Amino acid sequence: MQVIVEKDRVILAGKAWEVRAKLKEYSRKYDTVKEWTAALIKE
């Protein structure tokens, strides 16, 4: 599974069940994609 984070987008590549699981995981932490990308770029 790949998670590619750019300034204004997130690209998830992998099997469908992996992508769904990752989206569910991140939806618990962040309300918006903007918050998600800001947090991941800082890491």
Side-chain angles (χ1 to χ4, degrees):
M1 162 122 210
Q2 290 182 324
V3 179
I4 302 166
V5 180
E6 296 178 2
K7 181 182 174 188
D8 59 344
R9 75 189 97 212
V10 177
I11 301 169
L12 299 173
K15 299 200 178 277
W17 65 268
E18 293 173 319
V19 173
R20 281 193 300 265
K22 190 59 74 173
L23 286 172
K24 188 179 284 189
E25 174 187 336
Y26 282 123
S27 72
R28 291 185 196 117
K29 295 180 184 179
Y30 307 106
D31 291 328
T32 64
V33 174
K34 189 172 184 175
E35 291 175 4
W36 183 17
T37 55
L40 291 177
I41 289 174
K42 289 179 184 178
E43 292 179 354

